[in-house]
Amino acid sequence: MTHSTKKIFLTIFIILVFVLGYVLYMYLGVDNMKYVPILTVLIFAIIPAILINNIWNRKAVKKD
């Protein structure tokens, strides 16, 4: 498995985990709460974007 393939699988895994987490949160949370807090954007959109950005834009480490 090449390095690029690992990045693709990890990206898809992160997307699936956060989408399923969001669906579960909405299913369980909206019934009990009458509204959805605005900070859910931070958890379900910005954090996965930062993780995926770090995967694809990781700086190479120089070996001495």
Side-chain angles (χ1 to χ4, degrees):
M1 188 182 300
T2 64
H3 189 66
S4 176
T5 309
K6 289 179 186 177
K7 286 183 177 182
I8 292 170
F9 283 132
L10 192 55
T11 302
I12 292 171
F13 178 72
I14 289 172
I15 291 170
L16 286 175
V17 165
F18 278 92
V19 166
L20 291 174
Y22 183 72
V23 169
L24 183 66
Y25 175 77
M26 284 298 180
Y27 178 73
L28 296 176
V30 173
D31 288 340
N32 297 333
M33 302 177 295
K34 300 283 190 247
Y35 66 96
V36 178
I38 194 73
L39 293 177
T40 56
V41 172
L42 180 69
I43 296 170
F44 294 110
I46 295 175
I47 292 174
I50 291 171
L51 289 173
I52 292 170
N53 186 30
N54 285 337
I55 291 170
W56 286 95
N57 294 325
R58 191 171 289 163
K59 302 284 185 205
V61 177
K62 293 182 181 179
K63 294 184 179 180
D64 292 331

